[in-house]
Amino acid sequence: MEKEINEKIQGQSLLLETKSENTKKLYIESYGCAMNFSDSEIVASILLNEGYNTTENLEDADLVLVNTCSIRDKAEQTVRKRLEKYNAVKRTNPKMKVGVLGCMAERLKEKFLEEEKIVDLVVGPDAYKDLPNLLAEVEEGREAINVLLSREETYGDIAPVRLGTNGVSAFVSITRGCDNMCTFCVVPFTRGRERSREPQSIIQEVQDLWDKGYKEITLLGQNVDSYLWYGGGLKKDFEKATEMQKATSVKFEDLLEMVANGFPKMRIRFSTSNPQDMHEPVLHVIAKYPNVCNHIHLPVQSGSNRILAEMNRLHTREEYRQLIDKIHSIIPNCSVTQDMIAGFPTETEQDHQDTLSLMEYVKYSFGYMYAYSERPGTLAGRKMEDDVPEETKFRRLQEIVDLQRKHSGMRTQEFVGQTVEVLVEKTSKKSDTDLSGRNSQNITVVFPKENYKIGEFVNVLITNCTSGTLIGKAVGLSEMN
């Protein structure tokens, strides 16, 4: 069942860029959200300049790092199992050093070092530039920790080393942190206040990716729609900015248009959006530029106004529906996807039915659905009793999953008979004779390989589908090539 509800978390530990003079080996794994995978690329870049090339073999590593997620208890348990594995290997290689990065490092801090003694260093999401100093401490036989959160750090001055890349698509981080204090979410406590990256550094990173042959980027942040650059400072300080700063400020719709207009042959995605911060100008940019994908990931979490208020989600069911209507009015062929939590504290059967009815209204293309997991440090963890029985949580979750599977099948069926543009990303997992990629709506498309290649934009006539995949036959190259 867990695989069916997208709760499986996967690691990643592959590096393509190396330096011949480097003598040390780094093994790095990432778990959780796309931001963690993006952060690991920053870490790899920093350590590449400190003498570390990355290895895919854990046993060969001088330094083992795991970039962690704290969003659900299952994510933390997965990381703990990996740490057990690292330490088992370390017993045969005492020179190996083990470190924890990211949100779990920020949340548990000294506990890893002092109580559990299972790592040599602990590094929070805003302290990666301090890694050389921390490693020097470890080499001197001292445990090292830096989990200080920053009001300014965006890593905009670091060119990431691309990890686990297919050479086709890449993440480009545009914001860090989050100011939305959802009661279930640990992100504001592990990643700090929201701040936006200087736009020119973003454009430069996209240019670098284009020069290296990449064909698709995802502009990434906990809440991309609230991107705001006005010469520095946190979003909450914008009211104090000078009139000149306000006049020359760059909002998300401005940044999205800058990238779309500057790189017309680069396909552009973005994630994640927040309903309260998604404004109409962004939708018009998506509609205007054919290289901006017609897909919006728009987490709702619940269809019940009462539960939304308990979650401190600053939108209502009605406002969310209005936004959905606006999306489909401005971008008729746009797919919308969701995050949903089942069994939030005090959730009643009527609240659950409200969620199902909202899903019936939207008919999402796909989604990420989870049973509520109490996270220490959050307002819900401190103030709310986790009072929905586990059996009830998972029954409701299964009903959400079943309905989503039905709607996903309906959405993919709509493409049968249509020709869609597909960016080829890889050979299909199920057949060496097929290629796999995604269309603009972020739906996987599989078609016979013939003479087409990874990295090409191919027009594919859809002849069949499953609830998660479109199946077709190529009819020629796209004009995007």
Side-chain angles (χ1 to χ4, degrees):
M1 176 179 173
E2 287 182 346
K3 183 177 181 181
E4 292 292 322
I5 59 178
N6 295 314
E7 282 219 49
K8 184 176 180 181
I9 299 173
Q10 297 185 357
Q12 168 178 303
S13 60
L14 177 63
L15 177 65
L16 298 183
E17 297 181 44
T18 61
K19 288 186 175 181
S20 58
E21 65 269 26
N22 286 357
T23 58
K24 293 175 284 188
K25 294 182 179 180
L26 164 70
Y27 180 92
I28 185 168
E29 287 187 347
S30 302
Y31 291 87
C33 69
M35 185 63 78
N36 276 7
F37 287 80
S38 179
D39 278 2
S40 288
E41 296 179 337
I42 291 168
V43 169
S45 179
I46 292 169
L47 293 178
L48 186 67
N49 295 321
E50 294 296 319
Y52 288 88
N53 286 337
T54 295
T55 175
E56 293 184 73
N57 298 314
L58 173 61
E59 291 76 10
D60 294 340
D62 300 287
L63 174 62
V64 177
L65 298 176
V66 57
N67 202 338
T68 60
C69 176
S70 277
I71 200 70
R72 289 176 301 279
D73 181 64
K74 181 175 175 60
E76 291 197 359
Q77 296 307 316
T78 299
V79 169
R80 288 188 178 280
K81 289 180 181 178
R82 293 305 293 158
L83 288 171
E84 291 175 6
K85 171 65 175 178
Y86 303 156
N87 278 275
V89 174
K90 187 178 179 181
R91 284 192 286 272
T92 66
N93 180 11
K95 292 184 179 180
M96 177 189 286
K97 306 301 180 186
V98 176
V100 172
L101 311 175
C103 295
M104 197 170 166
E106 180 67 38
R107 192 180 78 76
L108 295 177
K109 299 180 175 68
E110 294 89 348
K111 185 176 181 182
F112 277 128
L113 292 170
E114 297 175 1
E115 296 179 28
E116 302 183 16
K117 299 186 183 300
I118 54 175
V119 299
D120 300 294
L121 70 160
V122 177
V123 190
D126 290 345
Y128 298 142
K129 286 181 181 177
D130 197 32
L131 268 166
N133 296 325
L134 295 171
L135 287 170
E137 290 287 310
V138 172
E139 289 300 325
E140 293 293 327
R142 295 186 291 270
E143 295 168 335
I145 181 170
N146 186 341
V147 291
L148 294 176
L149 292 174
S150 169
R151 289 168 60 93
E152 292 85 26
E153 185 60 77
T154 64
Y155 299 110
D157 58 334
I158 293 178
V161 164
R162 301 298 166 178
L163 292 167
T165 181
N166 54 14
V168 175
S169 56
F171 295 124
V172 177
S173 175
I174 67 169
T175 70
R176 296 186 72 83
C178 185
D179 287 346
N180 295 317
M181 301 296 290
C182 300
T183 58
F184 57 83
C185 186
V186 75
V187 167
F189 307 104
T190 60
R191 288 191 170 270
R193 300 303 299 268
E194 184 178 299
R195 62 270 191 201
S196 298
R197 180 178 166 188
E198 193 272 323
Q200 195 53 46
S201 74
I202 297 170
I203 299 298
Q204 183 56 52
E205 185 173 336
V206 178
Q207 180 68 59
D208 181 63
L209 288 165
W210 175 254
D211 292 343
K212 291 178 178 177
Y214 284 80
K215 301 296 183 67
E216 178 183 273
I217 58 162
T218 299
L219 301 176
L220 196 63
Q222 253 75 38
N223 185 12
V224 292
D225 297 280
S226 60
Y227 175 90
L228 177 62
W229 174 263
Y230 58 98
L234 300 176
K235 184 181 72 171
K236 71 180 183 64
D237 296 328
F238 186 59
E239 292 182 3
K240 302 174 185 177
T242 67
E243 291 304 314
M244 182 175 293
Q245 284 176 318
K246 290 182 180 180
T248 58
S249 64
V250 178
K251 299 179 181 178
F252 180 58
E253 58 265 28
D254 304 319
L255 177 67
L256 186 60
E257 186 157 29
M258 287 167 63
V259 178
N261 187 53
F263 303 90
K265 295 292 188 178
M266 177 81 85
R267 185 188 262 186
I268 301 159
R269 301 185 185 276
F270 58 88
S271 183
T272 294
S273 294
N274 190 297
Q276 75 197 52
D277 295 307
M278 170 157 273
H279 304 299
E280 190 169 321
V282 173
L283 304 180
H284 287 293
V285 173
I286 298 171
K288 179 179 178 181
Y289 291 93
N291 58 325
V292 180
C293 290
N294 294 334
H295 167 236
I296 298 173
H297 186 59
L298 198 63
V300 64
Q301 309 301 357
S302 174
S304 162
N305 278 339
R306 190 184 70 81
I307 293 297
L308 288 172
E310 291 290 326
M311 290 176 166
N312 196 36
R313 299 287 288 175
L314 301 180
H315 63 86
T316 65
R317 169 192 179 92
E318 291 74 25
E319 289 167 340
Y320 188 89
R321 284 180 48 155
Q322 289 171 7
L323 178 55
I324 292 294
D325 292 343
K326 188 174 291 186
I327 289 170
H328 290 309
S329 172
I330 297 171
I331 319 164
N333 59 343
C334 188
S335 68
V336 181
T337 55
Q338 49 86 348
D339 287 352
M340 204 75 75
I341 297 173
F344 189 79
T346 76
E347 183 184 73
T348 66
E349 200 61 35
Q350 182 57 56
D351 295 325
H352 172 58
Q353 292 302 317
D354 287 347
T355 292
L356 296 178
S357 69
L358 181 66
M359 292 178 67
E360 287 283 12
Y361 184 83
V362 179
K363 295 181 173 62
Y364 296 99
S365 294
F366 53 92
Y368 301 95
M369 299 147 282
Y370 308 98
Y372 172 72
S373 171
E374 183 180 286
R375 308 313 298 131
T378 62
L379 184 62
R382 297 195 311 269
K383 302 289 188 180
M384 301 179 187
E385 181 185 353
D386 187 4
D387 59 354
V388 179
E390 291 298 301
E391 181 180 344
T392 302
K393 281 184 190 179
F394 283 97
R395 188 261 300 167
R396 291 175 182 170
L397 176 59
Q398 190 61 56
E399 290 177 7
I400 290 171
V401 170
D402 290 344
L403 185 57
Q404 182 57 62
R405 188 178 291 113
K406 171 188 169 185
H407 291 159
S408 294
M410 294 169 58
R411 290 301 189 188
T412 54
Q413 185 65 43
E414 292 172 350
F415 286 96
V416 174
Q418 294 186 28
T419 298
V420 301
E421 183 182 75
V422 179
L423 174 57
V424 183
E425 298 177 15
K426 58 187 178 182
T427 300
S428 171
K429 290 181 180 179
K430 294 186 177 180
S431 171
D432 290 340
T433 62
D434 289 338
L435 293 173
S436 174
R438 289 172 294 161
N439 66 356
S440 179
Q441 290 76 16
N442 205 34
I443 300 173
T444 297
V445 181
V446 175
F447 62 96
K449 183 180 293 185
E450 299 181 85
N451 295 318
Y452 297 102
K453 300 178 180 64
I454 292 172
E456 291 183 327
F457 288 94
V458 180
N459 291 322
V460 178
L461 174 64
I462 304 305
T463 57
N464 202 351
C465 68
T466 68
S467 63
T469 305
L470 301 175
I471 302 165
K473 180 174 176 58
V475 294
L477 291 173
S478 158
E479 293 180 357
M480 278 286 282
N481 291 292

